[in-house]
Amino acid sequence: MKINPSGYQVQPFFPLVSGKYYTGPHITLSNSSYLVLDDTFVAYPFWLPVAASFDRMGTRSVVAPTTSGTARFGVYRDDGTCYPGDLVQDIGDAQEQSLLGAEGDKLATVSWTLPPDHYWLAFIATFVGGSPSIQGCVATQMLNLMGLNQIDIAATTSLTRDAAIIGSYTWAPGDDLPTPFPTAGMSRSAGTASTALLPLIVLRAL
């Protein structure tokens, strides 16, 4: 905790601004879209050093499925081993987001206050028809929170890092997100600076 010249404690984090969108601190936007995979659970770290309230959670649809498509979002608390553990917040049945329609924001209305902790933002979707996609992002803005897989820092084009937890999980609209986060079928997704494409998952500060 930094102490400023006046003697007041200063949190090592800028305050969250109402109406702004936030995601993992290791995430930066990509010009590429993330191709949605049916029944595939994705989660990546979200560090929150100060208590904060949020009123939206979601993503941005780019290409819609042709027949049907639904997405669900949630927040997990880290289990102490750099892995998502217990479910903290789930957007719920009524706020599941349809992936049909024109390109645009897919945001669930929530009313959450999260205490300081290490969290994971989670996303899962199921669809029928076509190849839907949403806004993509990459974990290249900083040395990844999940650790490097090699230390050849000069080889930036091939430097690999774990970017997220990804795996197959059977889910249907109306199903609650599982708690704790599943381990069977899940793996740490490793990629290079150019290949670790992830779905953008955001929370909007209240």
Side-chain angles (χ1 to χ4, degrees):
M1 179 81 65
K2 180 181 177 181
I3 306 297
N4 71 12
S6 300
Y8 294 103
Q9 292 183 339
V10 178
Q11 293 287 351
F13 190 77
F14 280 102
L16 273 63
V17 179
S18 178
K20 297 286 188 180
Y21 296 92
Y22 294 88
T23 187
H26 63 308
I27 295 299
T28 187
L29 290 179
S30 170
N31 289 327
S32 299
S33 300
Y34 172 83
L35 188 65
V36 177
L37 300 176
D38 194 42
D39 287 337
T40 298
F41 221 165
V42 181
Y44 50 74
F46 179 68
W47 174 51
L48 192 63
V50 295
S53 297
F54 302 96
D55 65 358
R56 297 288 189 277
M57 184 176 190
T59 190
R60 182 173 180 82
S61 175
V62 177
V63 176
T66 56
T67 303
S68 64
T70 305
R72 190 146 176 162
F73 305 88
V75 180
Y76 286 81
R77 180 177 285 110
D78 188 80
D79 69 358
T81 68
C82 196
Y83 193 89
D86 291 335
L87 181 67
V88 176
Q89 297 289 356
D90 181 345
I91 64 170
D93 298 355
Q95 288 297 319
E96 288 180 349
Q97 296 297 298
S98 172
L99 296 178
L100 294 174
E103 177 180 353
D105 296 345
K106 302 295 182 179
L107 297 171
T109 299
V110 301
S111 181
W112 299 338
T113 296
L114 299 176
D117 213 330
H118 297 95
Y119 297 102
W120 293 74
L121 304 182
F123 161 83
I124 193 168
T126 187
F127 66 91
V128 176
S131 299
S133 62
I134 60 177
Q135 173 65 53
C137 58
V138 287
T140 58
Q141 189 169 340
M142 58 179 280
L143 294 182
N144 194 279
L145 297 178
M146 295 173 64
L148 298 171
N149 296 321
Q150 63 187 56
I151 57 173
D152 185 6
I153 305 299
T156 55
T157 58
S158 61
L159 183 66
T160 62
R161 76 287 309 279
D162 293 331
I165 303 296
I166 300 178
S168 177
Y169 183 83
T170 301
W171 177 81
D175 288 352
D176 293 338
L177 293 180
T179 187
F181 194 87
T183 55
M186 299 292 153
S187 63
R188 294 177 181 269
S189 170
T192 68
S194 60
T195 64
L197 190 65
L198 299 170
L200 179 67
I201 311 170
V202 297
L203 287 165
R204 191 175 78 175
L206 181 61

